Amino acid sequence: MHASKSDFPAKPLAERFGPAGQRPAFLPPLRSAGEFAACAAIYATGQCCNLLFQLLLLRHFGAEGYGRIGLSHLVFLLVAFVGDLGYSTLFLRERPGAAGWERQWRLALGHRLMVTAALYAVTLTGWSVLYGRGGEGFDYLAATVPAGLIGLASLTSVLLAQGRRIPSLIVQQMPWPAALLIWWVVGGADGSAARAGLIVSAGFLVQPVVALCLGGRARLLLPAFGAGSAMLTAALRLSVMGVAGALHDRLTPFLVARLAPDFLPAMLLLGHAINGASGVLMQVNRLLLPHLGTREGLAWSCRLLALISIGVAVACQLPWLAVMARADGGVAFHPSLLLPSLMAGCISFVGSVLATELIGRHLERQLTRIILTGIAISTALQLLGAIQSSADGVLWARVIGVAGIAAACFRSCGIMPEAPGWALCGSLLSAALGVMNQLAWLGSTLLLVGVVIAMACDRPLLRRQSALVVEPLP
């Protein structure tokens, strides 16, 4: 797959690396394990506060009331995700001190503000048509509109692009601890869904204030409108990929719910666990993205890919270990359904790291083609499995789709497996065949053991084409 010249930065990669491919001066090194641990702790704290806030809503409004509020909360998160237009990712690869950067940021803020406001108008209108305007769900969603708009000006990406990782994570995770504190100060929601939504909005109001206290520039909170944005096309591509990926993720449970309703609860719980791990990995990717124009960043990307690939192969052994440990032969685990569900989710981790690298190297046009083609093939195969009333066919179709996307991204990144890498691929393939033949699963385990031994002997799992690192990209 070839990219056009517009996909690449104006300077060749060799020039952007500087002499001997060194790290640019404005980026701190990637070697501080303590800093990464601190970032992980900050992220975990914010997410725990988010969960605690949801539990407070559940306790305050009861299961029925929280069901309506929880649905509107998902809509609030979806609007925030779509309305961002992918700009928060794109600005991680841009140097904040570059000429014209501030205007590009303010134009992007203007685009996000207009799109988010339009999305809220559409969703509030749609909610009122479907459920009416007198319910708790509508009140909560309407009250979180300020949160969605204020959240656009968090400056998280600015701080992270400057290499200030810990302040960036503090700003990003600030709304939920702040919302908990405000809940305690005002004495709760007092039975009002609108008041609960306003508490969320007040929590998000703290975000830009903290950003300014940590060194953010006030001018960056002011949107600009007009022509001249050089990033709009790339942002729209990322937005299309995000929406398509979200719809693709929700298609599989919908199909499985009709074909294998007894497996759906296990699939949804597994999905929550995978989404939680994916959120942590996403933060790691965001920390890595500003460095992907350097040899150091590319080396770290390869290390992360190798680590996750080993983790995927190990995770795919777990269903069979569970089967062997049960006296009923693992029937309750639905191994023929559990394994492809787990495999698809884990392979998507590999794809997310590769996608981050392609975005960091300004190859989002290639990535868009790969993602949309893979999703189209996966969707068609899943629908074919559903027509044939085959739940395992639907799930394996998803595996084929995400594996194809990952393989195409590997090729676009110029990364090839070494001998241990091919053995790891063989282990995954054998694990898939193990659904029909436990001897194949045994072969999968032996191959994985061989891979671990090879890596212990300092044999590399992956190899990057050196031309992509030391020479200008074509």
Side-chain angles (χ1 to χ4, degrees):
M1 204 175 285
H2 300 284
S4 66
K5 293 182 180 178
S6 61
D7 277 328
F8 301 98
K11 292 185 178 181
L13 202 60
E15 289 182 39
R16 295 171 65 218
F17 286 149
Q22 295 178 352
R23 169 177 46 86
F26 71 96
L27 286 175
L30 277 165
R31 298 188 179 91
S32 175
E35 187 180 30
F36 273 78
C39 289
I42 293 169
Y43 178 80
T45 300
Q47 293 305 300
C48 287
C49 290
N50 184 5
L51 178 60
L52 182 56
F53 190 84
Q54 298 306 308
L55 293 175
L56 284 176
L57 291 176
L58 174 61
R59 179 181 177 183
H60 193 79
F61 292 98
E64 184 177 354
Y66 177 71
R68 293 186 289 270
I69 291 174
L71 181 60
S72 62
H73 187 78
L74 289 177
V75 174
F76 157 66
L77 295 177
L78 182 61
V79 169
F81 172 73
V82 176
D84 178 70
L85 294 177
Y87 275 120
S88 62
T89 298
L90 286 178
F91 274 97
L92 294 180
R93 70 188 188 190
E94 303 295 327
R95 181 172 178 174
W101 180 92
E102 181 178 309
R103 173 165 173 76
Q104 291 300 318
W105 171 268
R106 294 181 60 200
L107 283 172
L109 184 58
H111 295 156
R112 294 156 69 197
L113 183 63
M114 289 188 294
V115 170
T116 302
L119 287 172
Y120 269 119
V122 171
T123 54
L124 287 170
T125 301
W127 190 286
S128 63
V129 170
L130 293 174
Y131 304 108
R133 299 180 60 179
E136 293 171 322
F138 182 88
D139 292 343
Y140 182 87
L141 182 60
T144 56
V145 171
L149 299 177
I150 294 168
L152 298 174
S154 70
L155 304 185
T156 300
S157 297
V158 177
L159 295 170
L160 189 53
Q162 292 172 342
R164 303 178 63 193
R165 300 175 191 128
I166 290 179
S168 172
L169 265 293
I170 290 174
V171 172
Q172 183 191 60
Q173 299 301 317
M174 182 54 64
W176 299 112
L180 285 176
L181 180 62
I182 294 167
W183 179 286
W184 175 74
V185 169
V186 302
D190 196 26
S192 168
R195 183 168 175 171
L198 289 174
I199 290 174
V200 174
S201 293
F204 273 82
L205 182 61
V206 175
Q207 205 174 34
V209 175
V210 172
L212 291 177
C213 293
L214 292 175
R217 288 178 283 171
R219 280 180 56 84
L220 299 181
L221 302 178
L222 302 175
F225 302 94
S229 175
M231 305 172 71
L232 180 59
T233 301
L236 290 176
R237 289 195 184 106
L238 292 191
S239 183
V240 168
M241 283 190 287
V243 172
L247 294 176
H248 180 250
D249 286 343
R250 285 153 181 76
L251 171 67
T252 310
F254 176 78
L255 296 177
V256 170
R258 184 176 65 86
L259 300 173
D262 56 334
F263 176 67
L264 184 62
M267 182 182 180
L268 292 177
L269 288 174
L270 178 62
H272 283 302
I274 289 174
N275 287 337
S278 178
V280 175
L281 179 60
M282 181 180 69
Q283 298 309 313
V284 175
N285 288 339
R286 286 172 60 84
L287 294 174
L288 183 62
L289 196 149
H291 298 263
L292 288 173
T294 70
R295 289 176 179 169
E296 182 188 29
L298 292 176
W300 268 85
S301 180
C302 255
R303 294 188 197 110
L304 183 60
L305 282 169
L307 180 63
I308 293 175
S309 298
I310 290 289
V312 169
V314 170
C316 290
Q317 306 299 317
L318 298 180
W320 298 115
L321 294 176
V323 167
M324 294 175 63
R326 289 182 62 93
D328 64 359
V331 174
F333 280 107
H334 300 280
S336 63
L337 302 178
L338 182 60
L339 180 62
S341 299
L342 179 64
M343 190 174 286
C346 290
I347 292 175
S348 68
F349 293 165
V350 176
S352 71
V353 178
L354 292 163
T356 300
E357 179 170 323
L358 289 172
I359 292 171
R361 290 169 51 192
H362 296 249
L363 296 174
E364 57 275 353
R365 179 177 295 181
Q366 276 192 0
L367 180 61
T368 304
R369 288 199 295 264
I370 291 170
I371 294 291
L372 296 184
T373 301
I375 286 177
I377 293 172
S378 174
T379 300
L381 292 176
Q382 288 186 61
L383 292 175
L384 181 60
I387 291 173
Q388 296 176 346
S389 299
S390 172
D392 55 343
V394 170
L395 293 170
W396 283 113
R398 181 176 175 83
V399 173
I400 292 171
V402 296
I405 290 172
C409 287
F410 265 117
R411 182 177 181 275
S412 292
C413 289
I415 300 174
M416 292 293 294
E418 292 281 23
W422 288 115
L424 188 66
C425 294
S427 176
L428 290 173
L429 180 60
S430 297
L433 296 175
V435 173
M436 300 175 290
N437 185 346
Q438 290 194 4
L439 191 60
W441 171 71
L442 178 60
S444 172
T445 304
L446 293 176
L447 283 170
L448 179 57
V449 170
V451 171
V452 173
I453 293 173
M455 294 191 70
C457 296
D458 206 24
R459 293 288 303 277
L461 192 71
L462 303 170
R463 171 176 56 85
R464 188 184 295 276
Q465 296 177 16
S466 58
L468 291 178
V469 178
V470 299
E471 296 177 4
L473 290 166

